[in-house]
Amino acid sequence: MKKNDWILAGVIIVIAAAILLFQLTRGDSGAGEVIVTVDGETFGTYSLAENQTVDIGGTNRLIIQDGTAQMEWADCPDQVCVDHSAISREGESIICLPNQVVVSVESGEEAELDGVVR
Ligand SMILES: [Zn+2]
């Protein structure tokens, strides 16, 4: 009986921790998502809450980490997109002119900002 109580307590703690972690992760998802367009057409939409590497048509490589997106590599001659700092807020974008790649942040952040403004 006593041992079962401990197991039950342990299970509850694990579940509580999992819920907390889930909520923290969900909070991050408020950072929105990045929309990648190539040559004016939507290439894909990626959540900023999820750490990932996005290969954009073999010409650019985008890294999403800790709620920010950054162009890690590109085969363009000017490397302007690679030098661009990481983006995370609505309306920010990284543009690779030679490859016609546009990475922009959309949604989520705006409503959150309205709540923060005093
Ligand atoms: Zn570029």
Side-chain angles (χ1 to χ4, degrees):
M1 267 314 246
K2 195 97 193 206
K3 196 182 174 189
N4 283 344
D5 285 349
W6 278 108
I7 291 169
L8 190 68
V11 167
I12 288 168
I13 287 167
V14 167
I15 290 171
I19 289 170
L20 190 70
L21 202 69
F22 180 69
Q23 284 175 340
L24 286 174
T25 311
R26 272 178 63 98
D28 286 343
S29 75
E33 54 195 12
V34 285
I35 294 172
V36 178
T37 60
V38 180
D39 208 2
E41 286 178 33
T42 303
F43 180 82
T45 305
Y46 308 92
S47 172
L48 274 173
E50 209 175 304
N51 291 352
Q52 57 192 307
T53 304
V54 182
D55 181 72
I56 306 169
T59 60
N60 296 64
R61 189 160 63 234
L62 185 76
I63 288 226
I64 297 171
Q65 197 168 27
D66 301 328
T68 66
Q70 187 163 23
M71 197 71 81
E72 190 210 37
W73 171 87
D75 71 354
C76 61
D78 60 18
Q79 297 288 295
V80 167
C81 54
V82 179
D83 290 336
H84 198 288
S85 55
I87 57 172
S88 61
R89 295 183 180 281
E90 162 123 30
E92 286 184 322
S93 58
I94 298 173
I95 299 166
C96 180
L97 273 179
N99 293 341
Q100 303 216 301
V101 172
V102 179
V103 179
S104 57
V105 179
E106 303 256 338
S107 81
E109 190 83 338
E110 203 169 37
E112 204 173 297
L113 276 178
D114 285 343
V116 171
V117 170
R118 286 150 205 242

Short mmCIF file of all heavy atoms in Angstrom, two decimals, residues 49-86:
data_model
loop_
_atom_site.label_atom_id
_atom_site.label_comp_id
_atom_site.label_asym_id
_atom_site.label_seq_id
_atom_site.Cartn_x
_atom_site.Cartn_y
_atom_site.Cartn_z
N ALA A 49 7.99 27.84 -33.00
CA ALA A 49 8.08 27.14 -31.72
C ALA A 49 8.86 25.83 -31.86
O ALA A 49 9.23 25.21 -30.87
CB ALA A 49 6.68 26.86 -31.19
N GLU A 50 9.08 25.42 -33.10
CA GLU A 50 9.71 24.13 -33.34
C GLU A 50 11.10 24.34 -33.92
O GLU A 50 11.25 24.93 -35.00
CB GLU A 50 8.85 23.37 -34.35
CG GLU A 50 8.90 21.88 -34.22
CD GLU A 50 7.92 21.22 -35.19
OE1 GLU A 50 6.72 21.56 -35.13
OE2 GLU A 50 8.37 20.43 -36.00
N ASN A 51 12.10 23.86 -33.22
CA ASN A 51 13.45 23.95 -33.75
C ASN A 51 13.59 23.05 -34.97
O ASN A 51 13.30 21.87 -34.89
CB ASN A 51 14.48 23.52 -32.69
CG ASN A 51 14.57 24.51 -31.55
OD1 ASN A 51 13.99 25.59 -31.61
ND2 ASN A 51 15.28 24.16 -30.52
N GLN A 52 14.01 23.65 -36.07
CA GLN A 52 14.14 22.85 -37.29
C GLN A 52 15.03 23.53 -38.32
O GLN A 52 15.32 24.72 -38.23
CB GLN A 52 12.75 22.61 -37.90
CG GLN A 52 11.99 23.89 -38.22
CD GLN A 52 10.52 23.62 -38.53
OE1 GLN A 52 10.21 22.81 -39.37
NE2 GLN A 52 9.62 24.31 -37.84
N THR A 53 15.46 22.75 -39.26
CA THR A 53 16.26 23.26 -40.36
C THR A 53 15.44 23.10 -41.62
O THR A 53 14.90 22.03 -41.89
CB THR A 53 17.58 22.47 -40.48
OG1 THR A 53 18.27 22.53 -39.25
CG2 THR A 53 18.46 23.07 -41.58
N VAL A 54 15.32 24.19 -42.38
CA VAL A 54 14.51 24.15 -43.59
C VAL A 54 15.40 24.36 -44.81
O VAL A 54 16.07 25.38 -44.94
CB VAL A 54 13.41 25.25 -43.55
CG1 VAL A 54 12.55 25.17 -44.80
CG2 VAL A 54 12.56 25.13 -42.30
N ASP A 55 15.42 23.37 -45.66
CA ASP A 55 16.15 23.50 -46.91
C ASP A 55 15.22 24.15 -47.93
O ASP A 55 14.16 23.61 -48.25
CB ASP A 55 16.62 22.13 -47.39
CG ASP A 55 17.41 22.24 -48.69
OD1 ASP A 55 18.55 22.73 -48.62
OD2 ASP A 55 16.88 21.87 -49.74
N ILE A 56 15.61 25.31 -48.41
CA ILE A 56 14.76 26.04 -49.35
C ILE A 56 15.29 25.84 -50.77
O ILE A 56 16.20 26.52 -51.22
CB ILE A 56 14.70 27.54 -49.00
CG1 ILE A 56 14.28 27.73 -47.54
CG2 ILE A 56 13.73 28.27 -49.92
CD1 ILE A 56 14.43 29.15 -47.02
N GLY A 57 14.71 24.88 -51.43
CA GLY A 57 15.03 24.63 -52.83
C GLY A 57 16.50 24.40 -53.14
O GLY A 57 16.92 24.56 -54.28
N GLY A 58 17.28 24.03 -52.13
CA GLY A 58 18.69 23.74 -52.36
C GLY A 58 19.56 24.98 -52.50
O GLY A 58 20.78 24.87 -52.63
N THR A 59 18.94 26.18 -52.45
CA THR A 59 19.73 27.41 -52.61
C THR A 59 19.93 28.14 -51.29
O THR A 59 20.88 28.89 -51.12
CB THR A 59 19.06 28.38 -53.60
OG1 THR A 59 17.75 28.72 -53.10
CG2 THR A 59 18.92 27.75 -54.98
N ASN A 60 19.00 27.92 -50.36
CA ASN A 60 19.10 28.58 -49.05
C ASN A 60 18.77 27.57 -47.96
O ASN A 60 18.00 26.64 -48.18
CB ASN A 60 18.11 29.75 -48.95
CG ASN A 60 18.41 30.85 -49.94
OD1 ASN A 60 18.35 30.66 -51.15
ND2 ASN A 60 18.75 32.01 -49.43
N ARG A 61 19.34 27.80 -46.79
CA ARG A 61 19.01 26.94 -45.66
C ARG A 61 18.66 27.81 -44.46
O ARG A 61 19.46 28.64 -44.03
CB ARG A 61 20.17 26.00 -45.33
CG ARG A 61 19.77 24.94 -44.31
CD ARG A 61 20.70 23.73 -44.34
NE ARG A 61 22.05 24.12 -43.98
CZ ARG A 61 23.12 23.87 -44.73
NH1 ARG A 61 23.02 23.22 -45.85
NH2 ARG A 61 24.31 24.27 -44.34
N LEU A 62 17.46 27.61 -43.97
CA LEU A 62 16.93 28.39 -42.86
C LEU A 62 16.97 27.56 -41.59
O LEU A 62 16.64 26.38 -41.61
CB LEU A 62 15.49 28.81 -43.16
CG LEU A 62 14.81 29.74 -42.17
CD1 LEU A 62 15.34 31.16 -42.33
CD2 LEU A 62 13.31 29.72 -42.38
N ILE A 63 17.39 28.21 -40.51
CA ILE A 63 17.40 27.51 -39.22
C ILE A 63 16.42 28.19 -38.28
O ILE A 63 16.45 29.40 -38.13
CB ILE A 63 18.83 27.52 -38.61
CG1 ILE A 63 19.71 26.58 -39.40
CG2 ILE A 63 18.79 27.19 -37.13
CD1 ILE A 63 20.56 25.66 -38.58
N ILE A 64 15.54 27.40 -37.70
CA ILE A 64 14.61 27.92 -36.70
C ILE A 64 15.03 27.35 -35.37
O ILE A 64 15.08 26.13 -35.19
CB ILE A 64 13.15 27.54 -37.04
CG1 ILE A 64 12.75 28.19 -38.36
CG2 ILE A 64 12.21 28.00 -35.92
CD1 ILE A 64 11.40 27.72 -38.89
N GLN A 65 15.36 28.27 -34.46
CA GLN A 65 15.86 27.82 -33.16
C GLN A 65 15.45 28.82 -32.08
O GLN A 65 15.60 30.03 -32.27
CB GLN A 65 17.39 27.69 -33.21
CG GLN A 65 17.95 26.86 -32.09
CD GLN A 65 19.41 26.51 -32.33
OE1 GLN A 65 20.13 27.23 -33.01
NE2 GLN A 65 19.85 25.40 -31.77
N ASP A 66 14.94 28.31 -30.98
CA ASP A 66 14.55 29.14 -29.83
C ASP A 66 13.65 30.31 -30.24
O ASP A 66 13.82 31.43 -29.78
CB ASP A 66 15.81 29.68 -29.12
CG ASP A 66 16.71 28.54 -28.63
OD1 ASP A 66 16.16 27.48 -28.29
OD2 ASP A 66 17.93 28.72 -28.61
N GLY A 67 12.72 30.04 -31.14
CA GLY A 67 11.74 31.06 -31.51
C GLY A 67 12.22 32.10 -32.50
O GLY A 67 11.53 33.08 -32.75
N THR A 68 13.42 31.91 -33.05
CA THR A 68 13.90 32.85 -34.07
C THR A 68 14.30 32.08 -35.34
O THR A 68 14.62 30.90 -35.28
CB THR A 68 15.13 33.66 -33.59
OG1 THR A 68 16.23 32.75 -33.42
CG2 THR A 68 14.85 34.38 -32.29
N ALA A 69 14.25 32.80 -36.45
CA ALA A 69 14.62 32.20 -37.72
C ALA A 69 15.82 32.94 -38.29
O ALA A 69 15.89 34.16 -38.25
CB ALA A 69 13.45 32.26 -38.69
N GLN A 70 16.76 32.18 -38.82
CA GLN A 70 17.97 32.77 -39.35
C GLN A 70 18.43 32.00 -40.59
O GLN A 70 18.34 30.77 -40.62
CB GLN A 70 19.07 32.73 -38.28
CG GLN A 70 20.33 33.48 -38.67
CD GLN A 70 21.20 33.75 -37.45
OE1 GLN A 70 21.11 33.06 -36.44
NE2 GLN A 70 22.04 34.76 -37.55
N MET A 71 18.90 32.74 -41.58
CA MET A 71 19.42 32.09 -42.78
C MET A 71 20.82 31.61 -42.46
O MET A 71 21.72 32.39 -42.21
CB MET A 71 19.45 33.09 -43.95
CG MET A 71 19.59 32.42 -45.28
SD MET A 71 18.08 31.54 -45.78
CE MET A 71 17.09 32.90 -46.42
N GLU A 72 20.97 30.31 -42.43
CA GLU A 72 22.28 29.76 -42.06
C GLU A 72 23.23 29.68 -43.24
O GLU A 72 24.43 29.88 -43.11
CB GLU A 72 22.10 28.36 -41.45
CG GLU A 72 23.37 27.84 -40.82
CD GLU A 72 23.47 26.32 -40.88
OE1 GLU A 72 23.04 25.71 -41.88
OE2 GLU A 72 23.99 25.75 -39.93
N TRP A 73 22.66 29.38 -44.38
CA TRP A 73 23.52 29.21 -45.55
C TRP A 73 22.76 29.59 -46.82
O TRP A 73 21.53 29.42 -46.90
CB TRP A 73 23.97 27.75 -45.64
CG TRP A 73 24.67 27.41 -46.92
CD1 TRP A 73 26.00 27.55 -47.19
CD2 TRP A 73 24.06 26.90 -48.11
NE1 TRP A 73 26.23 27.15 -48.48
CE2 TRP A 73 25.09 26.75 -49.07
CE3 TRP A 73 22.74 26.56 -48.45
CZ2 TRP A 73 24.84 26.27 -50.36
CZ3 TRP A 73 22.49 26.08 -49.74
CH2 TRP A 73 23.54 25.93 -50.68
N ALA A 74 23.45 30.15 -47.79
CA ALA A 74 22.85 30.45 -49.08
C ALA A 74 23.93 30.43 -50.15
O ALA A 74 25.10 30.71 -49.86
CB ALA A 74 22.16 31.81 -49.04
N ASP A 75 23.54 30.10 -51.35
CA ASP A 75 24.54 30.04 -52.43
C ASP A 75 24.60 31.35 -53.22
O ASP A 75 25.27 31.44 -54.24
CB ASP A 75 24.27 28.85 -53.36
CG ASP A 75 23.02 29.05 -54.22
OD1 ASP A 75 22.30 30.06 -54.00
OD2 ASP A 75 22.76 28.20 -55.09
N CYS A 76 23.89 32.37 -52.74
CA CYS A 76 23.87 33.65 -53.45
C CYS A 76 25.22 34.36 -53.30
O CYS A 76 25.94 34.13 -52.34
CB CYS A 76 22.75 34.54 -52.90
SG CYS A 76 22.93 34.93 -51.15
N PRO A 77 25.56 35.23 -54.26
CA PRO A 77 26.87 35.88 -54.23
C PRO A 77 27.00 36.97 -53.15
O PRO A 77 28.09 37.18 -52.62
CB PRO A 77 27.03 36.50 -55.63
CG PRO A 77 25.62 36.59 -56.17
CD PRO A 77 24.84 35.49 -55.52
N ASP A 78 25.90 37.65 -52.81
CA ASP A 78 26.04 38.78 -51.87
C ASP A 78 26.00 38.39 -50.39
O ASP A 78 26.51 39.09 -49.55
CB ASP A 78 25.01 39.89 -52.17
CG ASP A 78 23.57 39.38 -52.07
OD1 ASP A 78 23.35 38.32 -51.43
OD2 ASP A 78 22.68 40.05 -52.61
N GLN A 79 25.38 37.26 -50.09
CA GLN A 79 25.30 36.74 -48.71
C GLN A 79 24.61 37.71 -47.74
O GLN A 79 24.81 37.65 -46.53
CB GLN A 79 26.71 36.40 -48.18
CG GLN A 79 27.41 35.31 -48.96
CD GLN A 79 26.79 33.92 -48.71
OE1 GLN A 79 26.84 33.39 -47.62
NE2 GLN A 79 26.21 33.35 -49.75
N VAL A 80 23.81 38.62 -48.29
CA VAL A 80 23.10 39.59 -47.46
C VAL A 80 22.15 38.87 -46.51
O VAL A 80 22.03 39.20 -45.34
CB VAL A 80 22.32 40.61 -48.34
CG1 VAL A 80 21.34 41.42 -47.49
CG2 VAL A 80 23.30 41.54 -49.03
N CYS A 81 21.47 37.85 -47.03
CA CYS A 81 20.50 37.11 -46.21
C CYS A 81 21.19 36.37 -45.07
O CYS A 81 20.65 36.27 -43.98
CB CYS A 81 19.71 36.15 -47.09
SG CYS A 81 20.72 35.05 -48.07
N VAL A 82 22.38 35.85 -45.34
CA VAL A 82 23.11 35.11 -44.31
C VAL A 82 23.59 36.06 -43.21
O VAL A 82 23.59 35.72 -42.03
CB VAL A 82 24.30 34.35 -44.92
CG1 VAL A 82 25.08 33.60 -43.85
CG2 VAL A 82 23.81 33.38 -45.99
N ASP A 83 23.97 37.29 -43.62
CA ASP A 83 24.44 38.28 -42.65
C ASP A 83 23.30 38.88 -41.84
O ASP A 83 23.53 39.48 -40.80
CB ASP A 83 25.19 39.42 -43.39
CG ASP A 83 26.51 38.93 -43.93
OD1 ASP A 83 27.04 37.94 -43.39
OD2 ASP A 83 27.02 39.54 -44.89
N HIS A 84 22.08 38.74 -42.33
CA HIS A 84 20.92 39.30 -41.64
C HIS A 84 20.75 38.65 -40.27
O HIS A 84 20.95 37.45 -40.12
CB HIS A 84 19.66 39.06 -42.48
CG HIS A 84 18.51 39.95 -42.10
ND1 HIS A 84 17.80 39.79 -40.94
CD2 HIS A 84 17.96 41.02 -42.73
CE1 HIS A 84 16.85 40.72 -40.88
NE2 HIS A 84 16.92 41.48 -41.95
N SER A 85 20.42 39.48 -39.30
CA SER A 85 20.23 38.93 -37.95
C SER A 85 18.96 38.08 -37.91
O SER A 85 18.10 38.18 -38.77
CB SER A 85 20.15 40.05 -36.92
OG SER A 85 19.15 40.97 -37.29
N ALA A 86 18.85 37.27 -36.88
CA ALA A 86 17.69 36.38 -36.74
C ALA A 86 16.41 37.19 -36.58
O ALA A 86 16.41 38.26 -35.99
CB ALA A 86 17.90 35.47 -35.53
#
